[in-house]
């Protein structure tokens, strides 16, 4: 049956099918139950009554089905609920027919039980015919012009034998019929071993994955476990990555709760899945008390961290959100997104440069922000090595402008977004961020404003992160470039990092540097290798990893704590506080004067700039010194 043909005549064919179902229902009951065949010449009376009943039933059914819009259903999307409705409406229609016959036509009716049987049989017949039409339509959609043979079918292994696997298998057997040859299901529950889900057998546990994939030459693996501990998920995905098969993963229940078709929710495995980090639990009441009904300013509001800060701040209903950035495109995007989601809230996008002292003071005078999240910064290490004065102007003096504006206009709290690169920095970017930490700790001693910093490592998916770069390189066929085989970094997702930043400020009293628990450091080489394997490619055969050598200012290992700092615990297991350092603003002003001298005299000699920065930040050393080379 061609889809176009059926669609053209469906308004005629479906009612006709229902009429035939009604005739069949009466015929079935008459012949097999009451033994009074409507064409039996010895039963003229019964025959006439049955003919009248059929005509009356056809009219009533048509009225009931059209009033309840049964003919508006798209048959290939009907489900069990629709089929139950067909049966119920059929029984109701027959009961209406019986009432009309008895009360208006004064006909002698069979028993109520017999009428119910007639309605049930008609309803079942209608459902069976629609199931047959649905099967034909779906086969036509999927297989039109495609001839699937064992040679072009993908061999598929499914991880997890729960409800999600059941739904995926049903989808594969209908809308994607023939495209996949499902080898079996992997499930760690020993009691399920040997049983089947939607006709597919459970053939092993997680430790059998590699062996099964090799035996059956599995092309694809669908990870269908929605409720699973992150560490178990990481272990299973690592086992899958060794097979060379393409891996798709079903998102968390929260992500798919509104998705009707689970198969459509399958996505590529992301590197976040391999971090094995548990979800962050927050004390939202404390966070809300600091943000609700407050005027909040986010600098760098168009950046990856700034955008997420704005999203999570809006959850707590600020009085006004001010998003400041120098780059208009990203700022416009987040403004449109948030105004669409929160049309009744006061959200302002401000184009301004934090280097412009007067502009910053004018903004603070106009809006009087009560809480400031300072995320604006130049963060790209190699670029800042080549443009050190720009890092100083933006990171150091931009921060200094904001710190002084907060002090003058009595801002309640200032939060600096810092980085692990500020710890024993080996590059200009890290050194400028360390100097920013020193500025806020010194300023906190003499100001009513509470100044704090939050220090964390790399965030996945941020602008400049290696993960988007690796994905792009893999898509282009490689090579994937890594600077050193032993280089390691701490990683965290953007939403997790921002959530912990918000939680950190609930513990702030002023002068603290909060350090986030970043988990275990990850080897960048291993990360690149995992991304290649999770894409269904083989390292060195399909795509290579090229070691390019360390970049200017780069070091092998990042740190979250300096030698002289001690950590204090907070009420949150992922947030710690460093011991405040003994800086005064007099010390800081002296350091800033030496940097101003460089800028005022247009000194461009990189070595002189770096030497001056080393005097300002004593922990700043060259990568060679840090790595022991």
């Amino acid at each position: 049956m061609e889809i176009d043909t059926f669609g053209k005549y469906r308004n005629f064919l479906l009612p006709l099918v229902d009429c035939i179902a009604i005739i069949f229902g009466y015929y079935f009951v008459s012949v097999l139950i009451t033994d009074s065949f409507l064409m039996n010449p010895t039963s003229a009376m019964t025959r006439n009554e049955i003919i009248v009943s059929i005509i009356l039933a056809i009219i009533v059914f048509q009225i009931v089905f059209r009033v309840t819009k049964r003919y508006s259903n798209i048959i290939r999307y009907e489900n069990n609920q629709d089929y139950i409705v067909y049966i119920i409406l059929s029984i109701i229609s027959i009961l209406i027919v019986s009432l009309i016959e008895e009360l208006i036509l004064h006909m002698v009716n069979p028993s109520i039980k017999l009428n119910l049987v007639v309605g049930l049989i008609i309803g079942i017949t209608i459902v069976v015919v629609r199931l047959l039409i649905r099967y034909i339509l779906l086969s036509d959609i999927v297989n039109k012009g495609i001839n699937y043979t064992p040679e072009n079918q993908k061999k598929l292994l499914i991880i997890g034998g729960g409800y999600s696997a059941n739904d995926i298998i049903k989808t594969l057997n209908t809308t994607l019929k023939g495209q996949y040859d499902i080898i079996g299901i992997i499930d760690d529950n020993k009691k399920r071993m040997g049983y089947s889900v939607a006709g597919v057998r459970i053939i092993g546990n997680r430790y059998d994955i590699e062996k099964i994939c090799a035996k059956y030459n599995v092309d694809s693996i669908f990870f269908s476990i929605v409720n699973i501990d992150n560490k178990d998920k990481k272990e299973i995905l690592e086992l899958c990555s060794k097979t060379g098969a393409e891996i798709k993963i079903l998102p968390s229940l929260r992500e798919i709760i509104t998705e009707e078709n689970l198969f459509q929710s399958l996505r590529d495995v992301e590197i976040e899945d391999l971090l094995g980090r548990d979800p962050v639990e927050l004390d939202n009441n404390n966070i809300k008390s600091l943000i609700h009904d407050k005027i909040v300013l986010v600098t760098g509001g168009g950046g990856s961290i700034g955008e997420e800060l704005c999203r999570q701040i809006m959850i707590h209903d600020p009085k006004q959100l001010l998003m400041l950035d120098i780059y208009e495109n990203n700022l416009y995007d987040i403004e449109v997104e948030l105004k669409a989601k929160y049309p009744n809230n006061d959200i302002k996008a401000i184009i301004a440069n934090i280097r412009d002292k007067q502009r910053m003071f004018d903004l603070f005078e106009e809006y009087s922000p009560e809480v400031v999240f300072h995320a604006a910064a130049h963060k790209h290490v190699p670029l800042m090595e080549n443009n050190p004065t720009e890092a100083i102007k933006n990171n150091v003096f931009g921060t200094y402008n904001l710190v002084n504006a907060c002090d003058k206009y009595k801002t309640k709290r200032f939060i600096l977004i810092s980085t692990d690169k500020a710890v024993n920095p080996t590059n200009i970017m890290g050194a400028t961020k360390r100097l920013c930490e020193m500025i806020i700790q010194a300023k906190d001693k003499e100001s009513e404003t509470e100044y704090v910093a939050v220090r964390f490592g790399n965030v996945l998916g941020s602008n400049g992160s290696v993960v988007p770069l690796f994905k792009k390189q893999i898509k282009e066929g490689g090579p994937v470039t890594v600077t050193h085989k032993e280089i390691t970094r701490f990683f965290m997702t953007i939403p997790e990092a921002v959530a912990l930043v918000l939680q950190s400020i609930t513990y702030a009293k002023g002068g603290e540097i909060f350090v986030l628990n970043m988990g275990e450091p990850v080897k960048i080489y291993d990360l690149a290798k995992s991304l290649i394997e999770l894409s269904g490619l083989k390292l060195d055969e399909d795509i290579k990893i090229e070691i390019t050598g360390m970049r200017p200012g780069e070091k092998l290992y990042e740190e979250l704590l300096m030698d002289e700092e001690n950590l204090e615990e907070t009420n949150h297991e992922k947030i710690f506080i460093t011991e405040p350092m003994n800086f005064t603003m007099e010390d800081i002003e002296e350091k800033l004067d030496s940097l101003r001298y460089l800028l005022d005299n247009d000194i461009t000699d990189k070595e002189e700039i770096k030497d001056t920065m080393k005097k300002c930040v004593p922990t700043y050393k060259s990568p060679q010194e840090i790595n022991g080379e």
Side-chain angles (χ1 to χ4, degrees), residues 332-561:
Y332 174 75
D333 290 341
I334 189 64
E335 180 191 26
V336 170
E337 176 189 327
L338 293 181
K339 283 189 173 181
K341 192 171 183 179
Y342 303 97
N344 299 320
N345 289 73
D346 188 357
I347 300 169
K348 284 187 168 56
I350 300 170
I351 301 296
N353 192 333
I354 60 172
R355 301 181 187 185
D356 187 340
K357 178 182 175 181
Q358 190 57 50
R359 173 77 164 132
M360 292 301 103
F361 275 65
D362 289 344
L363 288 172
F364 272 73
E365 185 173 11
E366 180 179 358
Y367 295 106
S368 298
E370 298 165 85
V371 182
V372 175
F373 291 90
H374 178 37
H378 286 324
K379 305 180 185 75
H380 199 282
V381 171
L383 283 179
M384 292 308 101
E385 287 301 288
N386 292 326
N387 302 275
T389 54
E390 294 305 307
I392 293 169
K393 290 175 188 175
N394 197 70
N395 295 358
V396 177
F397 287 103
T399 299
Y400 184 70
N401 290 337
L402 288 164
V403 163
N404 288 327
C406 287
D407 177 50
K408 180 176 180 179
Y409 293 97
K410 309 301 181 186
T411 298
K412 172 64 178 172
R413 188 171 281 110
F414 176 92
I415 301 94
L416 169 70
I417 304 301
S418 192
T419 169
D420 57 355
K421 292 176 177 61
V423 181
N424 298 323
T426 60
N427 50 68
I428 283 290
M429 193 284 284
T432 58
K433 294 298 283 185
R434 176 55 189 154
L435 187 50
C436 291
E437 292 180 350
M438 295 162 68
I439 290 170
I440 64 109
Q441 286 194 317
K443 193 68 176 178
D444 184 75
K445 292 182 174 68
E446 61 178 44
S447 174
E448 293 179 20
T449 302
E450 296 172 1
Y451 296 94
V452 299
V454 182
R455 186 191 290 166
F456 52 86
N458 299 275
V459 285
L460 293 168
S462 67
N463 298 329
S465 169
V466 295
V467 175
L469 173 62
F470 287 169
K471 287 182 176 179
K472 181 174 181 289
Q473 290 174 334
I474 290 169
K475 188 175 180 180
E476 292 172 352
V480 174
T481 55
V482 176
T483 59
H484 195 289
K485 197 166 185 177
E486 297 302 318
I487 196 167
T488 65
R489 291 292 181 267
F490 293 99
F491 282 100
M492 182 180 280
T493 66
I494 295 175
E496 181 183 9
V498 168
L500 289 174
V501 167
L502 294 179
Q503 185 70 74
S504 297
I505 66 172
T506 66
Y507 307 128
K509 296 177 182 177
E512 301 96 340
I513 296 177
F514 293 96
V515 178
L516 304 187
N517 179 356
M518 299 292 295
E520 295 299 318
V522 177
K523 273 191 177 183
I524 301 299
Y525 183 89
D526 292 344
L527 187 149
K529 183 171 175 282
S530 295
L531 281 175
I532 291 168
E533 291 171 344
L534 291 171
S535 302
L537 302 170
K538 291 183 179 179
L539 181 62
D540 293 330
E541 288 185 29
D542 300 314
I543 199 163
K544 295 182 181 297
I545 295 178
E546 181 181 307
I547 306 299
T548 58
M550 300 280 280
R551 298 178 300 178
E554 194 170 42
K555 61 181 177 180
L556 284 177
Y557 311 104
E558 297 290 8
E559 306 156 89
L560 289 168
L561 196 65

Side-chain angles (χ1 to χ4, degrees), residues 312-330:
Q312 294 195 28
I313 286 167
M314 286 307 301
I315 294 171
H316 302 289
D317 195 24
K319 180 179 180 180
Q320 185 181 51
L321 175 64
L322 308 171
M323 304 180 297
L324 185 149
D325 207 299
I326 189 62
Y327 183 57
E328 62 186 56
N329 293 349
N330 288 357

Side-chain angles (χ1 to χ4, degrees), residues 173 195 205 369 443 551 599:
N173 288 333
Y195 285 85
N205 59 36
K443 193 68 176 178
R551 298 178 300 178
L599 301 178

Side-chain angles (χ1 to χ4, degrees), residues 164 223-227 233 249-256 262 264-267 273:
S164 301
F223 187 98
S224 72
I225 310 174
V226 174
N227 250 342
K233 182 179 182 180
I249 188 169
L250 199 66
S252 68
L253 190 59
R254 185 173 64 179
E255 294 176 85
I256 63 170
L262 290 188
Q264 293 177 355
S265 296
L266 286 166
R267 59 168 172 79
D273 299 312

Side-chain angles (χ1 to χ4, degrees), residues 214-229:
K215 180 179 179 181
Y216 294 102
N217 294 317
V218 169
D219 301 299
S220 298
I221 297 174
F222 288 175
F223 187 98
S224 72
I225 310 174
V226 174
N227 250 342
I228 185 172
D229 177 83

